[in-house]
Amino acid sequence: MNKATSALLVLFIALALYSCETFQKAKTIKLAHGLDISHPVHRAMMYMADELEKNSKGQLKLELYPNQQLGSERQCLELLQIGSLGMTKVSAAVMENFSPNMQVFGLPFLFRNREHRFNVLDGAIGKELLDGGQKYWLKGLGYYDAGSRSFYTKEKPVELPSDLEGLKIRVMESVTAMNMVSSLEGSPTPISSGELYTALQQGVVDGAENNPPTFYLSRHYEVCKFFSLDEHTSIPDVLVISTHLWKSLSTEEQSWLQTAADVSVKYQRKLWAKAEQEALDAVVKAGVKVVRPDKSLFKEKVISIYEDYRDNEPIYNLIDRIQETQ
C-alpha cells in the first residue's frame, strides 16, 4: 500500500469514526400530545423540531406523537413524571392537577384582554408558574396560545347564563372548570377529549366548551350546531418537559431546547390568530349558529368563585398580582 493510499485510508477511517461518534451523541426527545396534525400547536411543534435540529446541528432532535398516540394529557404527564416520556403539551387546566397554582388560569374572566394575558404569561408570574411544577417532576418551557373557551351545544344556543341550567357540559379534569360550570347551574362532566365526539353523539353530554379552532378541527360542529362566544376562560397550553430528562441534558442542550421552544411560541401565536378566524368562518359555513352573548351577565354569575380562594393565600396573591399587571 503506497503512502497516498494509506493516507486516504486513515482519513476515511477518521471520518467514519467521527460520524459514528456524532451519531452516537445525537439524542432524540419524544414529545406526545392529543391534537390533530393540522392544529396550530402541532405545526408549531414541527417548527420547534426543525429549529432544535438546526441549532444543535443534529445533536438533539424531537420525535412527535400527535392524536393521543401515547395517551391522554393526564397520562402523558404521568409518563413524564416517571421519566418514560420526554415532553408533552397539556392545557393548564389539566396541569393544575399536578402543579396546583396553575389553577389560577382556570378562573373565569381573569384577563382583561389578549395583551394583558400575554404580559402575564411572558412575565415573572408566568415563569414562576412554569418553574413551580419542578417539584412534581414537571418543568414548563413556555405557553402556547389556546385562545378563549366558549360553550357549544346540541339543542339550543347559550345566550343567557340560565340557558345552561340542567345541561350536562363536558369539562376538562379541572376542579376550577367544574366549579365554573356549576356556578352557571350547568352539570359539569369530565370526559377526555378523545372520547368527547362519541359522548356528544350519544347524548352523554349536551355540550362542551372550547376554543374555535379545537371546535372545528375536532369536528364537534357536526354534532353541536350552536356556538356561544362568551369567552369565559383563556387557559393557555403549556409545553412541559420531564425534569428527569431536563436534568440529564447539558447546559448547552438545555439552551438549544429552550431557544427552540421560545421561537415556536412566537410562531404558534401567529398561527393561532389566523386559525381562530378561519375556524369561525368554516363552522358558520357548515351550518353552525354563532352567537355573541352579553359577557357581563356570565361574569356576574361566576365572580363569586374568586372569593372561594380568599383562604388560599398562594392563589389569592396570584389573582391580585395578575390583576395589577398592566
Side-chain angles (χ1 to χ4, degrees), residues 81-122:
Q81 287 184 311
I82 62 175
S84 295
L85 179 65
M87 294 174 64
T88 191
K89 185 289 306 175
V90 299
S91 169
V94 177
M95 188 71 174
E96 76 178 48
N97 296 293
F98 297 80
S99 185
N101 285 353
M102 279 276 182
Q103 66 187 283
V104 72
F105 290 136
L107 289 169
F109 305 103
L110 178 68
F111 301 112
R112 294 188 293 276
N113 50 43
R114 182 185 177 90
E115 182 183 10
H116 178 224
R117 181 165 86 244
F118 288 155
N119 286 343
V120 171
L121 296 180
D122 298 337

Side-chain angles (χ1 to χ4, degrees), residues 27-33 40-66 87 141 144 239 256-265 267-268:
K27 295 179 182 177
T28 300
I29 298 172
K30 292 183 178 181
L31 192 168
H33 66 87
V41 165
H42 180 80
R43 291 165 62 192
M45 289 174 175
M46 292 291 292
Y47 187 76
M48 175 170 60
D50 291 340
E51 287 293 304
L52 179 60
E53 188 165 359
K54 181 175 66 177
N55 293 342
S56 69
K57 295 182 172 58
Q59 295 181 61
L60 202 54
K61 300 180 180 181
L62 281 181
E63 195 171 88
L64 304 184
Y65 295 83
M87 294 174 64
L141 294 179
Y144 286 141
L239 186 61
W256 289 335
L257 183 56
Q258 184 65 66
T259 299
D262 292 343
V263 170
S264 77
V265 164
Y267 181 67
Q268 187 270 344

Side-chain angles (χ1 to χ4, degrees), residues 75 122 132 151 218 220 230 239 250 254 260 262:
Q75 289 167 335
D122 298 337
F151 293 109
S218 63
H220 292 168
D230 68 299
L239 186 61
S250 68
Q254 290 176 355
D262 292 343

Side-chain angles (χ1 to χ4, degrees), residues 212 215-216 221 227 278-290:
F215 176 57
Y216 172 57
Y221 66 89
F227 195 29
E278 290 177 345
L280 286 173
D281 292 342
V283 297
V284 168
K285 188 175 180 179
V288 172
K289 180 181 180 182
V290 175

